[in-house]
Amino acid sequence: MKKIEAIIRTSKFEEVYEALTEIGVPFMSTYDVKGFGLEHGTSQVYRGATYNVGFIPRTKIELVVTEGHMDDVVSTILKVASTGKVGDGKIFIMDVQEVIRIRTGEIGELAL
Ligand SMILES: Nc1ncnc2c1ncn2[C@@H]1O[C@H](COP(=O)(O)OP(=O)(O)OP(=O)(O)O)[C@@H](O)[C@H]1O
Ligand SMILES: [Mg+2]
């Protein structure tokens, strides 16, 4: 099992959520996060005004899926969350050792 953590533009969240629902993902956790990437501390011009790039609000999605579903989920996020501009976000993928459904005590993929 793999845990996928994606930090995406908040403006893309609704579209990503719908696309993941369409490919049959029945669960996810989301978080409001603030962060910075490579542009931290630099200035950017937006509509004629110069802004210092500090902590920017983003949306984080977390989901644990079977290895078989991972490629489908990752490629969907990549396709929908991308604008091609700096700040599109990042996807982190981790191994998950165990999952337990508290209600039933089921473990592993059965508990997803
Ligand atoms: N290595 C990292 N660890 C944890 N969070 C990160 C990391 N890189 C980026 N983030 C988070 O993702 C958000 C978006 O990052 P961003 O897309 O700007 O990354 P980047 O490396 O600067 O790439 P780009 O050049 O496309 O902007 C950041 O605001 C931060 O919240
Ligand atoms: Mg960046």
Side-chain angles (χ1 to χ4, degrees):
M1 295 171 288
K2 299 280 186 184
K3 181 178 186 185
I4 299 166
E5 292 188 10
I7 299 181
I8 61 170
R9 294 181 192 279
T10 297
S11 60
K12 284 284 187 181
F13 170 71
E14 202 64 31
E15 214 182 318
V16 169
Y17 159 69
E18 277 165 19
L20 289 175
T21 304
E22 260 167 44
I23 64 164
V25 171
F27 39 61
M28 73 173 64
S29 299
T30 75
Y31 308 84
D32 295 326
V33 298
K34 282 187 285 185
F36 53 85
L38 298 176
E39 293 75 33
H40 187 55
T42 62
S43 295
Q44 286 195 349
V45 178
Y46 178 69
R47 296 194 174 170
T50 303
Y51 295 92
N52 194 31
V53 181
F55 282 87
I56 299 171
R58 301 268 178 217
T59 299
K60 180 171 162 184
I61 299 171
E62 281 187 10
L63 54 168
V64 177
V65 298
T66 61
E67 295 207 26
H69 281 134
M70 187 186 74
D71 285 350
D72 210 15
V73 170
V74 170
S75 63
T76 297
I77 297 171
L78 273 178
K79 188 174 65 192
V80 179
S82 167
T83 69
K85 301 201 175 76
V86 293
D88 271 352
K90 229 159 254 188
I91 300 174
F92 304 101
I93 300 169
M94 286 143 278
D95 289 325
V96 171
Q97 208 172 330
E98 195 56 284
V99 177
I100 306 168
R101 174 173 285 113
I102 293 174
R103 173 173 58 86
T104 58
E106 289 165 295
I107 59 169
E109 292 189 4
L110 275 179
L112 289 178

